[in-house]
Amino acid sequence: MKRARTRSASILLLCALSCGRAPVERHTRQETTRDDLGRTVVLPAHLDRIVTLAPNLTEIVYAIGAGNRLVATDDFSDEPAVAKLLPKVGGMQPNVERIVTLEPDLVLATTNGNHPNLAPALAAVHIPLYVVRTDRLDEIPRAMERLAALLGVSSAAAPELRAAIARQHRSRARSPRVLFVVWADPLYVAGRKTFSDDLISLTGGTNAVTVDGWPQYSLESLVAEPPDLILYPSKPVSRAQIDKLIELSPGLARAKVVAVDENLFTRPGPRVARAAEELNRILDGLGGRVAGWQGRWVAGSQGRRVVGRRAKLNVPASHSAGVKSPSLPATQSPSDPVSQRPSDPRPSDPRRQPEKGGRDDA
């Protein structure tokens, strides 16, 4: 009898989760829009209760003046400080049951790193999911404008951010080569066509990585394109790990190594101008460290090495894996970075760490 009662209670809970929710009944009028993946999203007339699933989106909602509508965030949202006080709904795999109990009118997610079951699970309980793209620097203020319009708030945050970003533009006589390490073991870096790449270009630097996205990088590739500056986020990457990379490739020893604020440099949100300001300060301090380099590959019985005025690499040939640059599809079909697994180790946004397995679809 006790088992029967337990089984009946479980069935009732499942029905409650799959048969609808109160907020849908509260709003008789609905509106239709499209998110940044082109998905059709049906919204209630009033968006008073919002859940964010990425730290940069939490920061954006506060920046545009809609923070009072947040009822929960992902586990990593900690800026502004008041966000720490909100209920948390999980990380890479959000707790849909907990989201349902909060009765949100809207869930916001990024185009990257969403669990494949997220969109269908929310659709089953009639909770709208709106996906926001912030892959590039210029997409961040655009996302702020779209969300402000979506939520019906008047905000000057987007134009102010554009102006702040523009003030950080620099042209340098010699463009320093910058490597941004986002994960050390295995080595993942910020490649071209990312908001980190845009920050480097904005401040007068050149990305030392020549491939797109957030690739896994080999030591050979690193030494073949040696940086003048190595940046790394201070929490997920340690100085000891960076020193180990330099030990394996001594030619990197001339590069200046700087730890940066993880949240500031890895979140494509309203504080990116501050990241650019800090990067300008670092680049201004390089002085005479910027230098040209010419080298050539040398093969030998002990492995392969690059020789030249700036770099040598002595590692077994078996360690030379080349560049692995996985595609970062969009959330809708096969997904982007706020997924912190090997396919996209960027902390997106950000303290998410690489984990194996899973897809990035919404």
Side-chain angles (χ1 to χ4, degrees), residues 201-276:
S201 298
L202 173 73
T203 54
T206 299
N207 197 336
V209 179
T210 58
V211 295
D212 297 345
W214 304 86
Q216 183 175 341
Y217 223 50
S218 72
L219 290 177
E220 286 184 351
S221 299
L222 179 60
V223 173
E225 301 288 345
D228 300 298
L229 172 66
I230 300 176
L231 302 176
Y232 68 95
S234 57
K235 290 185 179 179
V237 178
S238 69
R239 178 57 193 255
Q241 290 175 308
I242 298 298
D243 289 343
K244 183 178 179 180
L245 288 175
I246 294 175
E247 180 183 351
L248 291 173
S249 47
L252 301 180
R254 289 187 57 179
K256 183 175 182 178
V257 178
V258 179
V260 296
D261 185 323
E262 173 192 10
N263 292 348
L264 197 61
F265 276 77
T266 61
R267 289 183 183 175
R271 294 186 293 157
V272 289
R274 287 176 52 190

Side-chain angles (χ1 to χ4, degrees), residues 187-209:
L187 178 63
Y188 280 88
V189 297
R192 301 292 174 93
K193 298 182 180 179
T194 63
F195 81 92
S196 295
D197 178 55
D198 294 335
L199 279 176
I200 294 170
S201 298
L202 173 73
T203 54
T206 299
N207 197 336
V209 179

Side-chain angles (χ1 to χ4, degrees), residues 141-337:
R142 286 207 300 266
M144 296 170 71
E145 288 173 334
R146 283 195 299 275
L147 287 179
L150 186 73
L151 301 179
V153 297
S154 177
S155 173
E160 289 174 356
L161 178 60
R162 283 195 181 93
I165 290 173
R167 287 194 294 270
Q168 297 306 318
H169 181 266
R170 298 289 187 277
S171 295
R172 302 179 186 275
R174 304 216 41 190
S175 180
R177 297 176 55 78
V178 181
L179 175 74
F180 185 27
V181 176
V182 293
W183 196 254
D185 188 14
L187 178 63
Y188 280 88
V189 297
R192 301 292 174 93
K193 298 182 180 179
T194 63
F195 81 92
S196 295
D197 178 55
D198 294 335
L199 279 176
I200 294 170
S201 298
L202 173 73
T203 54
T206 299
N207 197 336
V209 179
T210 58
V211 295
D212 297 345
W214 304 86
Q216 183 175 341
Y217 223 50
S218 72
L219 290 177
E220 286 184 351
S221 299
L222 179 60
V223 173
E225 301 288 345
D228 300 298
L229 172 66
I230 300 176
L231 302 176
Y232 68 95
S234 57
K235 290 185 179 179
V237 178
S238 69
R239 178 57 193 255
Q241 290 175 308
I242 298 298
D243 289 343
K244 183 178 179 180
L245 288 175
I246 294 175
E247 180 183 351
L248 291 173
S249 47
L252 301 180
R254 289 187 57 179
K256 183 175 182 178
V257 178
V258 179
V260 296
D261 185 323
E262 173 192 10
N263 292 348
L264 197 61
F265 276 77
T266 61
R267 289 183 183 175
R271 294 186 293 157
V272 289
R274 287 176 52 190
E277 181 180 11
E278 176 65 10
L279 183 52
N280 267 322
R281 185 189 66 78
I282 295 170
L283 292 176
D284 289 345
L286 280 181
R289 285 178 179 265
V290 182
W293 176 86
Q294 295 294 328
R296 59 191 176 88
W297 285 106
V298 175
S301 60
Q302 299 303 314
R304 290 182 290 174
R305 59 186 179 136
V306 176
V307 296
R309 291 196 300 272
R310 292 186 58 191
K312 286 187 179 180
L313 171 65
N314 288 295
V315 294
S318 59
H319 290 182
S320 304
V323 178
K324 298 179 180 179
S325 181
S327 59
L328 299 178
T331 302
Q332 55 182 18
S333 52
S335 129
D336 153 311

Side-chain angles (χ1 to χ4, degrees), residues 24 41 43 62 68 81 95 97 99 114 150 172 180 188 198 230 232 238 292 295 303 346 362:
V24 171
V41 182
L43 301 171
Y62 275 106
N68 62 325
N95 187 325
E97 291 185 14
I99 293 175
N114 299 304
L150 186 73
R172 302 179 186 275
F180 185 27
Y188 280 88
D198 294 335
I230 300 176
Y232 68 95
S238 69
R346 179 180 81 202

Side-chain angles (χ1 to χ4, degrees), residues 29-73:
R29 184 169 64 89
Q30 294 183 333
E31 300 174 355
T32 300
T33 187
R34 289 187 180 275
D35 65 14
D36 288 351
L37 293 178
R39 299 166 56 252
T40 299
V41 182
V42 179
L43 301 171
H46 302 286
L47 300 174
D48 302 321
R49 299 176 61 81
I50 301 169
V51 172
T52 51
L53 299 182
N56 64 321
L57 297 182
T58 301
E59 292 192 29
I60 286 175
V61 171
Y62 275 106
I64 63 176
N68 62 325
R69 302 191 196 183
L70 287 174
V71 295
T73 73

